[in-house]
């Protein structure tokens, strides 16, 4: 993890953690934290599998065990995804 010293939540997020929406629906799986974003794995990256997507750490409501819970429902969180370019 680089550049995450100012965000305490970033230090709690680890590779292979499940990412779920506030509604409990799956969003993806953490590849790693990249700056102020969570990079999701290609194989499990929302509706557009096959390439990486990113979610802002600002969407994270909390970390519970091996799960990252977002503050938005999964369908809404997917609209905030940024595709790898």
């Amino acid at each position: 993890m680089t550049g995450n010293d100012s965000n305490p939540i970033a230090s709690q997020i680890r590779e292979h953690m499940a990412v779920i929406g506030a509604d409990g629906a799956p969003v993806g799986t953490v590849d790693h934290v990249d700056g102020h974003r969570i990079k999701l794995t290609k194989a499990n990256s929302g509706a557009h599998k096959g390439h990486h997507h990113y979610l802002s750490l600002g969407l994270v409501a909390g970390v519970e065990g091996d799960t990252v819970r977002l503050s938005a429902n999964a369908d809404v969180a997917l609209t905030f995804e940024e595709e790898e370019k």
Side-chain angles (χ1 to χ4, degrees):
M1 284 182 270
T2 55
N4 298 317
D5 296 333
S6 62
N7 190 328
I9 280 228
S11 65
Q12 298 176 44
I13 299 173
R14 298 177 312 280
E15 185 178 0
H16 302 301
M17 293 179 98
V19 180
I20 62 171
D23 56 354
V27 173
T29 303
V30 174
D31 186 332
H32 66 273
V33 175
D34 184 5
H36 65 282
R37 306 180 303 175
I38 298 171
K39 184 176 184 178
L40 300 177
T41 61
K42 285 184 184 181
N44 195 0
S45 188
H48 304 101
K49 292 175 177 44
H51 57 276
H52 290 286
H53 284 85
Y54 296 85
L55 291 170
S56 169
L57 286 173
L59 288 172
V60 177
V63 176
E64 304 163 2
D66 289 331
T67 304
V68 178
R69 181 174 294 275
L70 303 178
S71 58
N73 286 346
D75 60 339
V76 174
L78 291 173
T79 67
F80 289 110
E81 281 187 341
E82 299 172 27
E83 291 187 30
E84 182 178 64
K85 307 236 188 254

